[in-house]
């Protein structure tokens, strides 16, 4: 290298004014193109002085305080956007949970079985008694048809209501088998008897009903005797007045009540009557 070249380089290095002070100049950029060493040292010396450092610290503290005050003031004076954002998030979460609970894939949960509280008051319909279940019609036995079996049941039910023993029921059913063949008969002699429900008619004086009882003998009115339940009740009432009827034969007990012209006729129905009573009791 020539001596004149070295002198030119040294002269250029000591003239910083020839370089551009523009911020975009390559002489001020970082990397390989670093600023000249004299300027770097001057900057360090300036920053290292105590007054400058104190001023910078004070300014930084003031800036941070102003920023914090501004942020606090903004949060205190304008909380609506924060609340709206929280409310929107809560609404979205509630909607997601509601949709999940309405999923069609889930089976419906069985309602829990709760025992009534001992102190709970009964509802308006709690005091009502349940409707009685209509009894099923008894199946006919002993050669009877359904109509005859229904009448036999009426006789047995009335006797059980009066607390009669089974033998009394057999006596009553045997009597009705002999007198009317277990049918509620009207009388051709009493036209009034045909005005009431009946299952045929007879012509034995003024005898009517299941037991062919005569209104003229004091058993009751035609209307009453045409009711099977009433006819059975007055028959049992007369039987209970017979002394020792429980030790009598079926024929003797029935004859004591009916005073029939054929007293031995009741005996032939005893076996069938016992089968009917056994099926109903």
């Amino acid at each position: 290298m020539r001596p004149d070249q070295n002198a030119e380089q040294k002269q250029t290095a000591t003239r910083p004014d020839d370089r551009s002070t523009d911020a975009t100049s390559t002489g001020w950029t970082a990397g390989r193109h670093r600023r000249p060493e004299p300027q770097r040292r001057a900057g360090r010396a300036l920053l290292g002085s105590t007054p400058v450092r104190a001023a910078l610290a004070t300014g930084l503290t003031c800036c941070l305080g102003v920023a914090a005050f501004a942020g606090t003031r903004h949060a205190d004076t304008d909380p609506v956007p924060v609340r709206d954002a929280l409310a929107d998030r809560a609404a979205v979460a509630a909607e997601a949970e509601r949709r999940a609970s309405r999923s069609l894939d889930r089976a419906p949960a069985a309602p829990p079985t709760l025992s009534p509280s001992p102190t709970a008051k009964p509802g308006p319909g709690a005091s009502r008694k349940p409707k009685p279940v209509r009894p099923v019609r008894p199946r006919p036995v002993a050669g009877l048809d359904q109509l005859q079996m229904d009448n036999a049941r009426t006789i047995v039910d009335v006797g059980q209501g009066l607390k009669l023993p089974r033998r009394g029921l057999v006596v009553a059913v045997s009597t009705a088998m002999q007198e009317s063949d277990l049918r509620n008969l009207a009388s051709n002699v009493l036209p009034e008897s045909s005005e009431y429900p009946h299952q045929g008619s007879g012509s034995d004086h003024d005898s009517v009903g299941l037991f062919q009882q005569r209104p003229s003998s004091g058993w009751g009115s035609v209307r009453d005797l045409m009711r099977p339940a009433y006819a059975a009740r007055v028959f049992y009432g007369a039987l209970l007045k017979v002394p020792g009827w429980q030790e009598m034969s079926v024929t003797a007990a029935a004859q004591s009540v009916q005073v029939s012209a054929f007293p031995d006729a009741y005996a032939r129905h005893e076996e069938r009557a016992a089968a009917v009573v056994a099926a109903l009791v």
Side-chain angles (χ1 to χ4, degrees):
M1 181 180 295
R2 293 179 299 175
D4 55 351
Q5 293 180 350
N6 188 16
E8 292 177 358
Q9 290 179 358
K10 291 180 180 180
Q11 185 179 0
T12 303
T14 58
R15 293 172 57 186
D17 295 337
D18 292 341
R19 294 181 180 271
S20 174
T21 58
D22 191 359
T24 60
S25 175
T26 58
W28 296 93
T29 57
R32 293 181 300 170
H33 304 283
R34 304 175 66 181
R35 68 174 62 182
E37 185 66 24
Q39 293 184 3
R40 293 174 57 192
R41 292 180 180 179
R44 291 179 181 177
L46 181 61
L47 293 176
S49 63
T50 302
V52 174
R53 294 174 64 182
L56 291 176
T58 302
L60 179 61
T61 303
C62 293
C63 292
L64 293 175
V66 172
F69 175 76
T72 305
R73 178 179 179 83
H74 178 74
D76 293 340
T77 58
D78 194 14
V80 176
V82 177
R83 290 202 303 265
D84 291 345
L86 294 177
D88 292 341
R89 291 183 180 180
V92 171
E95 179 65 18
E97 182 178 358
R98 183 180 67 83
R99 291 181 178 178
S101 63
R102 294 176 58 188
S103 174
L104 298 179
D105 297 335
R106 297 194 310 168
T113 303
L114 301 178
S115 58
S117 174
T119 58
K121 295 182 179 181
S127 59
R128 298 179 181 177
K129 295 182 179 180
K131 295 182 179 180
V133 180
R134 185 168 184 172
V136 180
R137 298 180 72 180
R139 184 174 61 87
V141 296
L144 303 181
D145 59 22
Q146 188 63 61
L147 186 64
Q148 292 171 307
M149 195 69 181
D150 291 342
N151 289 331
R153 180 172 188 172
T154 300
I155 295 172
V156 171
D157 288 347
V158 172
Q160 287 184 313
L162 296 173
K163 308 299 182 183
L164 265 78
R166 179 172 295 196
R167 185 169 182 79
L169 307 180
V170 173
V171 171
V173 173
S174 299
T175 303
M177 284 180 172
Q178 171 61 30
E179 296 291 346
S180 65
D181 196 21
L182 281 174
R183 298 184 186 278
N184 190 29
L185 300 179
S187 174
N188 295 333
V189 179
L190 295 175
E192 179 189 353
S193 61
S194 299
E195 299 175 3
Y196 308 109
H198 58 281
Q199 300 157 351
S201 60
S203 57
D204 183 10
H205 304 288
D206 58 346
S207 301
V208 295
L210 288 176
F211 295 90
Q212 289 293 283
Q213 295 153 330
R214 300 178 64 179
S216 60
S217 300
W219 286 98
S221 65
V222 176
R223 179 179 179 180
D224 290 337
L225 294 175
M226 290 299 296
R227 296 164 49 201
Y230 176 87
R233 185 174 297 107
V234 293
F235 174 84
Y236 285 125
L239 179 64
L240 292 174
K241 294 179 181 179
V242 177
W245 68 268
Q246 297 186 28
E247 287 76 25
M248 295 180 180
S249 63
V250 171
T251 297
Q255 177 62 17
S256 298
V257 175
Q258 297 295 105
V259 190
S260 173
F262 306 96
D264 298 331
Y266 302 104
R268 62 181 179 176
H269 303 289
E270 182 176 354
E271 184 176 352
R272 294 177 62 219
V276 172
V277 171
L280 295 172
V281 174

